[in-house]
Structure formats: C-alpha cells, structure tokens
Amino acid sequence: MTDEDIVGTVVELEVGPVAHGGHCVARHEGQVVFVRHALPGELVHARITEQNAKYLRADAVSVLTPSPQRIEPPCPYAGPGQCGGCDFQHANIVEQRRLKSTVVSDTLRRIGGIERTVVMESPGDDGLGWRTRMRYAVVDGRPGMYAHRSHDLIPIDRCLIAHPATPDVLSERWPDASSVLAVVSSEGKTAVQTGEDAAGRVVEVVRGRRFRVEAGGFWQVHPAAPETLVDAVMSGLEPAAGETALDLYSGVGLFAAFLAEAGCGVLAIEGDKDAVRNARRNLHDLPDVTLETGDVDRVLNAAAGQGLEHVDLVVLDPPRTGAGKDVVRRIAALTPRRVAYVACDPAALARDLKTFGRLGYGIASLRAFDLFGMTHHIECVAILEPVDSEVVSGGGLG
C-alpha cells in the first residue's frame, strides 16, 4: 500500500504489551503499530492515523474482544479523534497503575539493562480531579484541548482531571489569546494567565513551608506530589547535619529547603531566572543555601575549577530529557555517598542510570508514583549509592 492508501484504513489487530507513551504495541503485516485506546490482549479494529518507514500509529475504533480491565471512559471527550490529554480513561485505575509499572520495568531493562520489578505507588485518588494547573488551547477565542498529535481543537466544557477549585475558564471566550492557564494553589488561591503573559505568583505549602511560584512556572501539578517527592528524597538520602549537598535543577528551592533544614550546606543550581528569584525569597531564612543561576553542567564545571571536589549528597531533578552523560559524570566525580534522582521520563532515567552504573553507582532503591491519573505520565525517585566504598573514600571511579 502507498502512504495515501494506508492512513485512514481500518485494520484488525491483536493488541500486545503496553509501551511508554500511552499506547500498546501490535503488528500489521509485519510492521509495528502503536495503538491508542486499546489494552493488552484485546482484539480491535483500529484506524491507521500515521505511517513512517519504521512504524504505524493507530486508534482503536471498535473493540471485538475487550479486556476484563476495560471500562467506559468517565470523560465524554476521551476516545479516538477526541481530546489528547488523557491516555488511559478506558482502563480501571488499578489496571492503569499496573500498566505504568510495566512500562517503567520494561524501559529500565530495554534501555538501561536494569532488571527491577517496579510497583506503582498511589496518592490515594481515583485518577480524577487532581490537576492544579490546566493549560487550554484557544482557537478563534474558544478554549479546549488539542486532539492527540494534532492542532485540531476539541472544544470542551469540563475537564475531569482538573482540580475542582481551578478557575472556570472554559465557559468564557478569549478572543486575543492562543492559550489560557488556570491555576489553583495549595492555599486555595487562583490565577488565570493567557498566552505567555505574566499573571503574578501563587504560594504553595509543603511540610508547613511556603514556596512562592510563578503562576506559569514549574510546580508539580498533583497537590500531593511535592510532599510525596520530598518525603521520598529525604528518606532515601537520610541527610545529616554538617553534610554538603547539591540540588541540581533546583527550581524554586523545594528540595534545597528541606536539605538545609536538616543541617546541610546546599549549593542549588537552576537555569530559570524567575525560579531562582523566587527561590531567593523562599530560602531567605536558610543561610546555608547558595543559589547559582545557569546551565547545570557549566556551573558544576566552574565550581570544580574553584575547588569543589566532593559533596555528600545530590538531588538531581532534571527536565524530561534527563541529565545527560556530562552532568552524570560531573556528579560521580564529586563522589557523593548518595544521589536522589527524581525523574518524570523512564527512558531518560534508564539512560542516566546506565551511565551512573558505568561510573560506580548502583540503585539502592527505586520508587514510582502515579501522580498523573488517566495519563501515561509517572514520577520516579531512584536512590543511588557507590557499589564500591572506595568511590566515597576518594579511591576514584575506576
């Protein structure tokens, strides 16, 4: 078939295992097909939506043999050709978490060569009503969500994963905007921002400590996420008074604050100037925190040139693309006794863990959290330790 012939064609597929990205894997005439709106073990009719030389993409448009874990999606906008915001509304919440656990384990094995069984931990919700920051697309003044891998707007009147206290922007028209952001903070304060315009700040509270954040700046979107991740990092690192710590990609100072409260001297590095400006405000009462603005690799390199040879602890919370080999090498060269790696992408995590492994650091623990119900997204916290005590004592990395 030509490209024009296959796209739009409906084919029968036996659905195989789940894969990272919110789809499952099937095969059609020997070619890999990534199928959305399907579950492992199902027999479906699927419409081909994209084709390239390596694989096809498809949407399951009818289910001939349903999985026992399939449910009717609670959202009327979930389904083939509709809102692309959610991936798993057609699976019960227990199955969603099982699928995500499988994705993390499989990705660690396939990319990192790491054999590890992962159990997805739950914040105790049902996957709905959690998202405290909602960005809607706007076309011709009307807000909505884009279809999957498309700029086709799907007008909606309600989003079921949005926190119930987020401002209602869907009932309004936004004639001069390309997008609109609705935010609710943990204190119940709200903000609305159109496009990239500034709209002030909100205050978030974690473990009784207040953090000022730009309304459109980075902050975890599940209300339980900041404290969940802080607890995982702190319990994994077990910081002691007098130790030195790095907080890399430090944002507004979430992890740096609690490392400093535990008595550590902290060097926090962040590239976003607005985040660092807020961090200075958030951490003003903690004199043992030093804030540096700039690229993490560059700042670490400069610090090494100024005599930084060793730290006891590292928190590494990189963007979705991961830290990369250069940053990992610089961390390992500082011979920390423990590293807490906070990751939102299992593929990037697997790549960086593989690099850490080659440099003498193994996984002491790895926890995964389902903080993004109905979507394929996850958060992981890996605690790394030297596999050879000589690494920490100064014997080198081999």
Side-chain angles (χ1 to χ4, degrees):
M1 286 186 174
T2 66
D3 289 2
E4 291 75 18
D5 288 332
I6 190 78
V7 173
T9 300
V10 175
V11 298
E12 185 173 291
L13 298 175
E14 293 182 3
V15 181
V18 67
H20 181 45
H23 44 246
C24 295
V25 180
R27 288 189 176 271
H28 174 66
E29 297 181 352
Q31 192 167 21
V32 170
V33 187
F34 294 117
V35 192
R36 284 175 60 82
H37 312 292
L39 293 174
E42 292 186 330
L43 182 67
V44 302
H45 281 160
R47 179 176 289 111
I48 305 299
T49 57
E50 294 180 37
Q51 180 184 31
N52 62 41
K54 294 183 178 180
Y55 56 81
L56 305 171
R57 294 183 183 273
D59 285 344
V61 293
S62 65
V63 181
L64 307 178
T65 307
S67 164
Q69 312 306 323
R70 176 174 283 275
I71 62 171
E72 185 68 23
C75 176
Y77 304 107
Q82 299 212 67
C83 173
C86 291
D87 308 292
F88 292 128
Q89 293 232 2
H90 57 289
N92 67 56
I93 194 66
V94 174
E95 176 68 356
Q96 289 183 38
R97 289 167 180 154
R98 189 192 69 81
L99 293 174
K100 293 182 184 184
S101 297
T102 299
V103 164
V104 177
S105 296
D106 288 352
T107 304
L108 290 174
R109 180 176 61 253
R110 178 173 51 85
I111 296 177
I114 299 164
E115 294 288 343
R116 198 168 194 93
T117 300
V118 176
V119 177
M120 196 64 51
E121 299 182 40
S122 162
D125 63 23
D126 63 357
L128 299 174
W130 52 267
R131 192 175 181 97
T132 59
R133 281 161 167 74
M134 294 294 305
R135 185 174 292 279
Y136 300 99
V138 177
V139 176
D140 295 329
R142 187 164 189 178
M145 301 292 284
Y146 286 131
H148 181 63
R149 295 177 61 83
S150 168
H151 284 92
D152 293 338
L153 186 78
I154 309 298
I156 64 175
D157 58 13
R158 184 186 176 196
C159 177
L160 292 186
I161 67 171
H163 192 284
T166 51
D168 175 19
V169 300
L170 292 171
S171 61
E172 301 181 39
R173 292 295 178 265
W174 304 88
D176 299 319
S178 59
S179 67
V180 58
L181 174 71
V183 177
V184 59
S185 76
S186 56
E187 288 192 321
K189 302 294 178 61
T190 62
V192 174
Q193 174 180 311
T194 58
E196 301 303 320
D197 296 337
R201 304 175 180 92
V202 294
V203 173
E204 304 285 356
V205 180
V206 182
R207 286 184 166 187
R209 188 174 186 91
R210 293 163 61 85
F211 293 86
R212 188 175 71 174
V213 188
E214 299 295 317
F218 177 77
W219 187 259
Q220 289 287 344
V221 294
H222 193 294
E227 187 158 345
T228 296
L229 296 176
V230 166
D231 289 348
V233 165
M234 296 298 286
S235 64
L237 290 181
E238 297 181 314
E243 289 191 306
T244 56
L246 289 177
D247 183 8
L248 305 181
Y249 311 94
S250 54
V252 299
L254 177 65
F255 298 114
F258 298 107
L259 287 168
E261 284 189 356
C264 295
V266 185
L267 171 61
I269 306 173
E270 169 59 49
D272 185 91
K273 293 180 180 179
D274 288 337
V276 175
R277 185 162 50 248
N278 285 325
R280 293 193 191 283
R281 172 70 174 267
N282 298 335
L283 309 177
H284 72 278
D285 61 324
L286 299 170
D288 290 332
V289 178
T290 301
L291 293 165
E292 294 286 349
T293 309
D295 174 76
V296 166
D297 186 41
R298 180 185 61 78
V299 175
L300 282 179
N301 185 43
Q306 296 169 7
L308 181 66
E309 298 179 350
H310 170 73
V311 295
D312 297 299
L313 303 169
V314 176
V315 178
L316 179 61
D317 186 10
R320 189 169 300 279
T321 52
K325 292 182 179 179
D326 290 342
V327 170
V328 170
R329 289 192 186 105
R330 294 199 187 283
I331 293 170
L334 295 170
T335 63
R337 68 170 179 84
R338 284 185 186 166
V339 177
Y341 191 136
V342 183
C344 61
D345 184 86
L349 174 64
R351 288 192 295 270
D352 287 342
L353 291 183
K354 187 174 184 178
T355 304
F356 269 114
R358 290 171 174 166
L359 295 170
Y361 281 80
I363 303 172
S365 67
L366 192 152
R367 299 172 67 184
F369 302 94
D370 182 25
L371 298 169
F372 311 96
M374 305 294 163
T375 79
H376 72 272
H377 298 290
I378 53 93
E379 287 280 345
C380 291
V381 177
I383 303 299
L384 311 179
E385 292 181 334
V387 295
D388 183 343
S389 61
E390 289 188 357
V391 172
V392 170
S393 64
L397 297 173

